[in-house]
């Protein structure tokens, strides 16, 4: 291993035999398997490759984001790197101590208290008792479970387990920290703590491997990204480019939007109806993650049962508390649509910059005649989730305390 690499993975592959007990199975899982197939009955062995010939390295102080669909092999990769399971072929070498948080409460003993589990985890990582004692108060403070620190872990909620598990993993200063979906559990305040802690590890020269479906967090936190697809390394490079390519793989699946066909309690005569709303990148690829400041295309799909003359398409945007933020339509832009023929069609609304702070919003779609009458389709509601982004390129993220909208701006300070 070179001096700048903290992690090197070479030709890593993992093969599972279907229907056969695996080396990383828990005892109870093996017992259940034996009961299902008594008297030595053996099924024809089939296998599946969870990983195939994966090669990459991570530098000291690098935060590496790993993206991919469910079942792509991400968790298998992390289990091998964490030595929870073994590779079928290939090698994975880590420099220094490796700490991992793969599942809620990984490495905890249910019968031990939170305090005892902190010391247990520390000793597993090779820490001396004195070192653990020096960091103990910071671990408990970060986790927020001080009131229950002397309570057995088996009485903790999943959120409490996760908070304590991450606090231990981050504060015992591993050389390599492996985190799988730590942002999937916990409130926004804890998620922010986790991101700040991982950033602190990076600045301290530690390496972080971060798996999450929260692509905004991956892009803002990670210095590099890799995309695992079908057990193979599909792409390795700039985080934003990797995420864009990954999201482009969903083209045609319409995951980046909402179906509106089956919505009830909608207004209007029904001669023309909205059928779905897609969020797209400016280049037309699906956009499952809508972020502050990004360009986005709203593709409004509709179906008409008859010729509709001089229709007016528009929408209203509301805050989570029901405050009207804006009401727009194509007529405000001086565009006329003389008629719509029967059948399916769509209209694109191109937004150069989505100047909303992160949060939950709702969109109400309308199709009316001139002057708002008649109403063909109305108050068709769908959700818009806006994720965080570094809109001012300062490293400081906008949040709900900054209001509802933000304005592109530049500040200049002059002396005197």
């Amino acid at each position: 291993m070179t001096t700048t690499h903290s992690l090197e993975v070479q030709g890593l592959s993992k093969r599972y035999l279907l229907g056969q007990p695996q080396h990383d199975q828990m005892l109870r899982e093996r017992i259940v398997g034996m009961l299902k197939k008594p008297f030595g009955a053996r099924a024809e062995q089939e296998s599946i490759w969870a990983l195939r010939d994966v090669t990459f390295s991570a530098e000291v102080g690098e935060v590496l984001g790993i993206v991919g669909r469910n079942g792509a092999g991400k968790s298998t990769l992390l289990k091998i790197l964490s030595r929870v399971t073994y590779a079928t072929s290939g090698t994975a070498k880590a420099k220094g101590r490796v700490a991992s948080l793969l599942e809620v409460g990984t490495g905890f003993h249910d019968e031990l208290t939170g305090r005892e589990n902190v010391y247990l985890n520390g000793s597993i990582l090779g820490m001396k008792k004195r070192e653990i004692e020096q960091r103990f108060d910071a671990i408990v403070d970060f986790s927020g479970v001080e009131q229950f620190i002397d309570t057995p872990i088996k009485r903790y909620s999943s959120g409490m387990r996760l908070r304590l598990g991450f606090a231990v993993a981050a504060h015992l200063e591993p050389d390599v920290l492996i985190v799988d979906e730590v942002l999937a559990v916990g409130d926004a305040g804890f998620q922010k703590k986790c991101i700040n802690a991982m950033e602190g590890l990076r600045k301290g020269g530690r390496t972080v491997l971060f798996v999450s479906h929260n692509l905004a967090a991956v892009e803002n936190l990670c210095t590099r990204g890799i995309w695992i697809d079908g057990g193979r390394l599909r792409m390795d490079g700039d985080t934003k480019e990797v995420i864009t390519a990954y999201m482009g793989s969903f083209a045609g699946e319409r995951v980046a939007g909402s179906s509106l066909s089956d919505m009830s309690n909608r207004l209007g005569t029904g001669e023309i109806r909205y059928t779905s709303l897609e969020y797209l990148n400016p280049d037309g690829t699906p956009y499952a993650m809508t972020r502050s400041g990004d360009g986005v295309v709203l593709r409004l799909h509709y179906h008409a049962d008859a010729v509709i003359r001089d229709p007016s398409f528009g929408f209203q945007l509301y805050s989570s508390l029901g405050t009207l933020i804006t009401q727009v339509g194509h007529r405000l832009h001086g565009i006329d649509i003389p008629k719509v023929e029967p059948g399916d069609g769509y209209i694109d609304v191109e937004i150069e910059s989505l100047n909303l702070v992160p949060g939950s919003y709702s969109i109400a779609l309308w199709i009316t005649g001139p002057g708002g009458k008649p109403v063909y389709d109305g108050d068709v509601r769908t959700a818009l989730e806006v994720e965080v982004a570094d809109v001012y390129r300062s490293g400081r993220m906008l949040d709900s305390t900054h209001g509802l909208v933000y304005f592109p701006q530049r500040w200049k300070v002059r002396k005197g």
Side-chain angles (χ1 to χ4, degrees), residues 327-347:
Q327 176 174 310
V328 293
H330 67 83
R331 291 183 181 278
L332 285 173
H333 293 266
I335 298 173
D336 291 322
I337 302 177
K339 67 176 180 178
V340 168
E341 298 289 348
D344 297 322
Y346 64 83
I347 292 175

Side-chain angles (χ1 to χ4, degrees), residues 40-78:
R42 297 185 64 183
E44 181 180 347
Q45 291 191 0
E46 296 182 20
S47 64
I48 184 173
W49 288 93
L51 290 176
R52 289 299 297 266
D53 197 28
V54 173
T55 299
F56 67 91
S57 61
E59 304 292 323
V60 172
E62 188 169 39
V63 181
L64 181 60
I66 304 176
V67 300
R69 305 189 188 205
N70 291 330
K74 305 186 302 297
S75 294
T76 299
L77 172 63
L78 298 192

Side-chain angles (χ1 to χ4, degrees), residues 33-277:
M34 292 171 62
L35 292 175
K36 286 182 177 180
K37 295 181 180 179
F39 312 116
R42 297 185 64 183
E44 181 180 347
Q45 291 191 0
E46 296 182 20
S47 64
I48 184 173
W49 288 93
L51 290 176
R52 289 299 297 266
D53 197 28
V54 173
T55 299
F56 67 91
S57 61
E59 304 292 323
V60 172
E62 188 169 39
V63 181
L64 181 60
I66 304 176
V67 300
R69 305 189 188 205
N70 291 330
K74 305 186 302 297
S75 294
T76 299
L77 172 63
L78 298 192
K79 285 181 178 180
I80 294 174
L81 298 180
S82 303
R83 301 184 180 90
V84 173
T85 188
Y86 298 98
T88 303
S89 61
T91 60
K93 298 180 181 179
K95 182 180 180 181
R97 286 196 297 254
V98 178
S100 60
L101 190 61
L102 304 184
E103 297 172 358
V104 174
T106 298
F108 284 158
H109 191 296
D110 277 354
E111 298 300 327
L112 299 180
T113 66
R115 182 186 302 273
E116 291 166 337
N117 270 291
V118 170
Y119 281 90
L120 175 63
N121 272 256
S123 62
I124 290 173
L125 285 174
M127 305 288 289
K128 296 180 180 179
K129 183 180 178 181
R130 176 175 48 80
E131 294 177 283
I132 301 172
E133 288 174 343
Q134 290 174 347
R135 298 170 174 83
F136 184 82
D137 289 342
I139 290 171
V140 175
D141 181 65
F142 184 97
S143 68
V145 299
E146 181 176 5
Q147 184 179 354
F148 308 97
I149 194 63
D150 291 309
T151 300
I153 283 287
K154 64 182 179 182
R155 305 190 191 281
Y156 281 27
S157 68
S158 60
M160 292 166 65
R161 283 172 173 254
L162 178 107
R163 291 198 298 272
L164 184 59
F166 184 87
V168 171
H171 284 80
L172 295 184
E173 297 184 359
D175 298 286
V176 179
L177 175 63
I178 300 172
V179 182
D180 188 4
E181 287 296 355
V182 70
L183 302 182
V185 181
D187 56 25
F190 175 70
Q191 292 176 10
K192 187 174 181 179
K193 272 185 173 182
C194 291
I195 291 174
N196 289 339
M198 287 187 278
E199 179 65 18
L201 287 171
R202 183 190 68 80
K203 291 180 179 178
R206 269 70 180 181
T207 301
V208 179
L209 268 65
F210 179 46
V211 170
S212 178
H213 288 293
N214 185 336
L215 299 183
V218 172
E219 181 174 346
N220 288 315
L221 178 66
C222 299
T223 52
R224 191 173 119 232
I226 66 173
W227 171 17
I228 303 292
D229 185 32
R232 297 181 181 274
L233 180 61
R234 182 82 171 266
M235 187 174 179
D236 181 346
D238 175 76
T239 308
K240 187 170 184 178
E241 292 178 2
V242 169
I243 289 175
T244 299
Y246 169 56
M247 292 312 307
S249 71
F250 290 97
E253 298 181 19
R254 286 194 186 177
V255 297
S258 305
S259 174
L260 308 173
S261 298
D262 298 329
M263 292 190 66
S264 58
N265 301 321
R266 60 205 298 169
L267 305 177
T269 63
E271 297 160 85
I272 181 171
R273 291 290 200 198
Y274 287 110
T275 56
S276 67
L277 168 61

